[in-house]
Amino acid sequence: MVDSLLSTDIYESFNLYSHPEKFFLEPTDLGGGAASKHYLEIDRHTNVMRIVDSRKQRVPIADTDIKFIYGILGTIKLVSGYALIVITKASFIGQVNNHNIWTIQDTEIIPYKKTTLHLTEKQIRYNRMFTDMLTHVLSIGGFYYSTTLDISRTFQWLQENAVPLFKTRSMLDRSSERFVWNGHLLSQIRQVPGAERYTLPVIHGFIGQNRVNVNGKEIKLTIISRRSIYRAGVRFYKRGVDAEGHAANYVETEQIVEYDTPDKHLTSFVQLRGSIPLLWAQKPNLRWQPMPTMKPTDDQLAAFTRTFGWHKQHYGGKHVIVNLVNQKGREKKVGGELERIARQANIDFVRYHQFDFHKECHAMQWHRIDLLREQLSQEISQFGYFYLSPNSIESSRFQQGFFRTNCMDCLDRTNVVQSMLARESLTEQLRMLGILYPEQKVQDIPLLENLFKHLWADNGDECSRQYAGTGALKADFTRLGKRTYLGAMNDGVNAVSRYVRNNFGDGYRQDAIDLFLGNFLVDSSDLPNSLETSILSTDQNGLALIAALFAMSMTILCLLVAGRNDQRLSLSPIVIFLDNATATLFWLIIFFVCMMFIFLNGEEFVNTPKLKLD
């Protein structure tokens, strides 16, 4: 199509015409003006898509609902048939290198079929469940896009691959498959000739931005965190690496500085986080912290080698593993194995570095994080950062190495350490740009330090919510630079909330993510019966739970009856208690026996994924 050849930018917005027979998506600019002489037509019965020239065939207006939308997330097959997912509300975040960045605030799932009369009652239930799962994932938040900039790639990667042929490809084709969360949803549209500018890549993670004046010079500081689609999921159900070496909770974080003088100077520093790169599991089982498990038959050396072979392929340079897990207790098993395997692998571009975070910083001695900074200071300088010079490519710099930080969850301790490394790199970048004086540090500029802390705390909170269901622990140190008793209390609340979510809600969340990413495909003729199983069943586990609830109710009832007798007969509370002691004690024993059975068989009582087995 003529206008598709003029640009590879995604259309900014659309008029969505919903007709009983077809959808019509007409490209517009954000002001509502026409942006193309063509539109996308989707047949709601045959599922056929095609690009139509509006000069030859106008969009029919009769019997058509018109809605303004910001973009197309894609299509997905549900029980009733295909559904179109569109962005109905988006919020402007800011500009990165003069490109607009948006976050998705609201979406709509529109079925092709206008009714469900063709479905059985079971199919209607499942169709509703799958739709609710998609809605749940989209409600998590943290989805971002740009119609002109590939935000799935680091600036260093874009500079290294800035060849003319590459730039002629569509935005989706040249984006990183690892970080495009709607890649599966766009698979149908991307096959339509001429539809390249309709396929909007969306990343999941965090983007935050602030402007600040430092020594009379204004800079813009941006953080972009990109969550990988590989081994994506929730805490406990996604741990370690898969057969290809992709790590759970893998996040690539890029800290970007922009400075206009008036020529634009741009620097960036990339860090990585991901689950301990071995084959291990930690399934929830009602205990506060399940014990990590590893199979003796698993080839840990091969898993580790594949992981860092993958790192070398995508990043190049050297890599330092910063392992923050405890060197005693339940964490030692996996952490100690990582150290052993790293030494055995002896990969020339990988160095293992151990720092027992909880031991070094116990009793709120958080200033001791400086020990780690000193241990890594030489490599922070050696690895450097990316610098895009406004003058010539020869004047640019490239990051030579990368820190890959992990604790058990890669959330709380990891974010604290990543923010420390980012601060050290930021100091060097601002000195190079002439914004900080030679002896100045980021922490010497209160306004800059405050904005920096809050950006990284927001990043940690967002990454934590997406993986564990709550904001990050230890966020007060990242946000305020010190550990507080109020922060410790907040950590306690979040820890309890995580326990409840991880044991009783994360199975559903994992299923929803697998459906969204295409790890599970809906087949209306083969619906998984496991989705309708209830924990209150007639097997031994269901009976144990029912018995525990009944025994608890009877115990409370006995105590209440004793209270009423006390009021009616004016007897001593001790006498009343003795009259009811036998019944109360009996039901209390039954309750504790049932609870002991439940906890001994904890894995049978937690909310587990039902769509795709790991």
Side-chain angles (χ1 to χ4, degrees):
M1 297 302 167
V2 176
D3 45 30
S4 293
L5 296 175
L6 296 176
S7 173
T8 58
D9 294 345
I10 307 300
Y11 292 122
E12 290 182 317
S13 55
F14 301 87
N15 286 326
L16 170 61
Y17 299 82
S18 297
H19 185 272
E21 304 297 322
K22 296 179 180 180
F23 293 121
F24 306 96
L25 292 120
E26 178 185 58
T28 66
D29 56 35
L30 290 176
S36 173
K37 296 184 177 74
H38 302 83
Y39 60 86
L40 176 64
E41 176 189 279
I42 305 176
D43 192 299
R44 301 178 72 165
H45 299 290
T46 65
N47 307 328
V48 172
M49 298 182 180
R50 65 185 184 118
I51 299 295
V52 179
D53 190 331
S54 60
R55 293 166 296 187
K56 299 179 181 178
Q57 182 179 327
R58 292 187 175 276
V59 175
I61 302 299
D63 300 323
T64 302
D65 295 327
I66 305 175
K67 176 178 293 188
F68 175 84
I69 63 172
Y70 283 85
I72 309 165
L73 270 176
T75 63
I76 189 168
K77 187 178 181 183
L78 300 176
V79 182
S80 64
Y82 277 93
L84 177 68
I85 308 178
V86 297
I87 303 167
T88 56
K89 188 177 181 182
S91 177
F92 179 68
I93 294 291
Q95 286 193 334
V96 176
N97 202 25
N98 299 323
H99 296 272
N100 293 340
I101 309 294
W102 302 80
T103 182
I104 297 174
Q105 289 192 314
D106 206 357
T107 59
E108 185 175 355
I109 303 170
I110 310 172
Y112 285 18
K113 299 286 193 299
K114 294 185 70 67
T115 72
T116 56
L117 296 177
H118 60 293
L119 302 180
T120 65
E121 287 187 12
K122 178 180 179 180
Q123 288 176 326
I124 291 174
R125 287 197 307 274
Y126 273 72
N127 194 67
R128 188 183 304 116
M129 282 190 282
F130 290 136
T131 303
D132 289 344
M133 285 181 181
L134 294 174
T135 302
H136 174 77
V137 173
L138 293 167
S139 70
I140 293 172
F143 291 96
Y144 302 87
Y145 71 88
S146 171
T147 59
T148 58
L149 175 67
D150 181 6
I151 58 174
S152 71
R153 304 279 192 184
T154 65
F155 274 100
Q156 177 161 314
W157 193 97
L158 291 172
Q159 182 63 33
E160 289 175 331
N161 293 272
V163 296
L165 181 61
F166 179 78
K167 291 183 176 180
T168 62
R169 300 171 65 191
S170 71
M171 178 90 72
L172 182 61
D173 285 342
R174 66 178 189 254
S175 62
S176 173
E177 185 182 82
R178 295 178 296 158
F179 300 121
V180 176
W181 271 60
N182 62 331
H184 167 66
L185 301 179
L186 291 173
S187 57
Q188 190 182 25
I189 300 177
R190 75 186 303 176
Q191 297 174 14
V192 179
E196 294 83 3
R197 298 185 65 186
Y198 295 79
T199 52
L200 174 67
V202 172
I203 70 165
H204 189 38
F206 172 79
I207 299 182
Q209 185 178 90
N210 269 314
R211 291 180 180 271
V212 59
N213 192 289
V214 181
N215 294 331
K217 301 171 182 176
E218 186 178 77
I219 65 168
K220 185 161 57 179
L221 181 64
T222 306
I223 293 178
I224 301 179
S225 282
R226 310 169 177 98
R227 298 180 62 83
S228 174
I229 66 169
Y230 299 125
R231 202 157 177 75
V234 296
R235 184 184 184 227
F236 291 146
Y237 285 118
K238 291 297 177 182
R239 295 294 214 191
V241 297
D242 62 16
E244 286 74 42
H246 299 300
N249 196 27
Y250 184 85
V251 183
E252 174 189 272
T253 300
E254 183 176 17
Q255 178 178 270
I256 302 162
V257 176
E258 293 177 75
Y259 173 49
D260 297 330
T261 65
D263 294 329
K264 177 176 285 294
H265 297 260
L266 184 147
T267 64
S268 80
F269 178 65
V270 174
Q271 297 186 72
L272 316 171
R273 71 171 75 181
S275 189
I276 294 174
L278 299 174
L279 300 169
W280 62 286
Q282 193 179 14
K283 302 296 184 184
N285 56 8
L286 297 182
R287 288 171 175 76
W288 186 257
Q289 281 285 352
M291 185 65 70
T293 59
M294 306 176 79
K295 295 180 181 178
T297 55
D298 284 338
D299 191 341
Q300 302 291 3
L301 180 61
F304 181 89
T305 304
R306 278 193 296 268
T307 297
F308 284 95
W310 182 88
H311 277 65
K312 185 70 170 180
Q313 176 186 347
H314 286 87
Y315 298 101
K318 296 183 178 179
H319 293 259
V320 173
I321 305 170
V322 183
N323 186 21
L324 305 175
V325 303
N326 299 343
Q327 290 302 289
K328 62 180 182 180
R330 64 172 60 85
E331 294 186 3
K332 182 180 179 180
K333 180 177 184 179
V334 184
E337 182 69 359
L338 174 60
E339 181 175 6
R340 186 186 74 81
I341 292 296
R343 296 186 186 282
Q344 183 180 352
N346 194 29
I347 301 174
D348 59 358
F349 61 88
V350 177
R351 185 178 79 81
Y352 174 87
H353 188 91
Q354 175 65 45
F355 185 80
D356 190 330
F357 189 97
H358 286 151
K359 176 183 177 183
E360 298 293 345
C361 301
H362 74 287
M364 292 193 176
Q365 298 184 73
W366 288 68
H367 61 279
R368 291 178 61 81
I369 195 73
D370 285 342
L371 292 174
L372 179 60
R373 177 184 57 78
E374 293 170 3
Q375 293 165 7
L376 300 176
S377 60
Q378 186 175 353
E379 281 159 322
I380 295 173
S381 296
Q382 287 176 351
F383 289 176
Y385 45 84
F386 171 68
Y387 168 52
L388 181 59
S389 170
N391 302 317
S392 65
I393 186 64
E394 290 75 19
S395 304
S396 298
R397 301 185 183 187
F398 292 87
Q399 188 171 336
Q400 303 297 321
F402 302 86
F403 293 98
R404 184 197 191 276
T405 308
N406 72 263
C407 47
M408 290 299 285
D409 297 324
C410 302
L411 297 177
D412 313 317
R413 290 169 276 182
T414 293
N415 201 67
V416 170
V417 169
Q418 283 199 331
S419 66
M420 177 270 290
L421 295 171
R423 182 187 288 106
E424 291 302 300
S425 178
L426 181 58
T427 294
E428 293 193 4
Q429 293 168 50
L430 296 183
R431 285 176 180 172
M432 182 274 296
L433 292 172
I435 294 168
L436 286 180
Y437 303 133
E439 300 304 319
Q440 275 187 320
K441 298 180 179 180
V442 169
Q443 47 267 51
D444 296 332
I445 312 295
L447 182 57
L448 174 60
E449 173 71 356
N450 184 58
L451 290 176
F452 173 88
K453 288 175 180 175
H454 279 77
L455 262 183
W456 272 94
D458 291 343
N459 175 68
D461 281 342
E462 193 62 42
C463 290
S464 180
R465 271 191 288 269
Q466 292 163 10
Y467 187 56
T470 73
L473 310 185
K474 306 172 178 65
D476 54 335
F477 182 79
T478 310
R479 197 176 295 277
L480 304 174
K482 60 182 179 181
R483 200 71 166 103
T484 65
Y485 287 102
L486 183 61
M489 291 173 60
N490 186 63
D491 284 357
V493 173
N494 278 341
V496 172
S497 180
R498 282 186 184 181
Y499 172 82
V500 174
R501 289 172 181 270
N502 298 162
N503 282 281
F504 306 112
D506 273 1
Y508 179 85
R509 285 210 303 151
Q510 185 64 56
D511 283 337
I513 291 171
D514 283 332
L515 175 65
F516 186 89
L517 292 176
N519 298 328
F520 172 83
L521 301 177
V522 175
D523 182 353
S524 57
S525 63
D526 184 20
L527 297 174
N529 292 324
S530 55
L531 274 184
E532 293 195 304
T533 58
S534 171
I535 194 170
L536 295 175
S537 57
T538 55
D539 60 11
Q540 62 177 3
N541 293 335
L543 292 175
L545 190 61
I546 294 170
L549 293 172
F550 183 76
M552 180 178 65
S553 301
M554 292 303 296
T555 302
I556 295 172
L557 182 63
C558 288
L559 294 174
L560 290 175
V561 169
R564 291 195 189 95
N565 288 338
D566 182 25
Q567 292 177 358
R568 186 175 67 248
L569 300 176
S570 301
L571 297 175
S572 165
I574 297 177
V575 174
I576 298 300
F577 174 77
L578 290 175
D579 286 344
N580 290 273
T582 303
T584 303
L585 185 61
F586 171 79
W587 289 115
L588 198 59
I589 291 172
I590 295 295
F591 172 73
F592 279 114
V593 168
C594 291
M595 291 305 297
M596 185 178 298
F597 175 84
I598 289 170
F599 272 92
L600 287 175
N601 298 273
E603 286 192 22
E604 303 296 325
F605 290 88
V606 298
N607 179 234
T608 58
K610 298 177 175 63
L611 297 183
K612 183 178 181 292
L613 297 178
D614 188 4

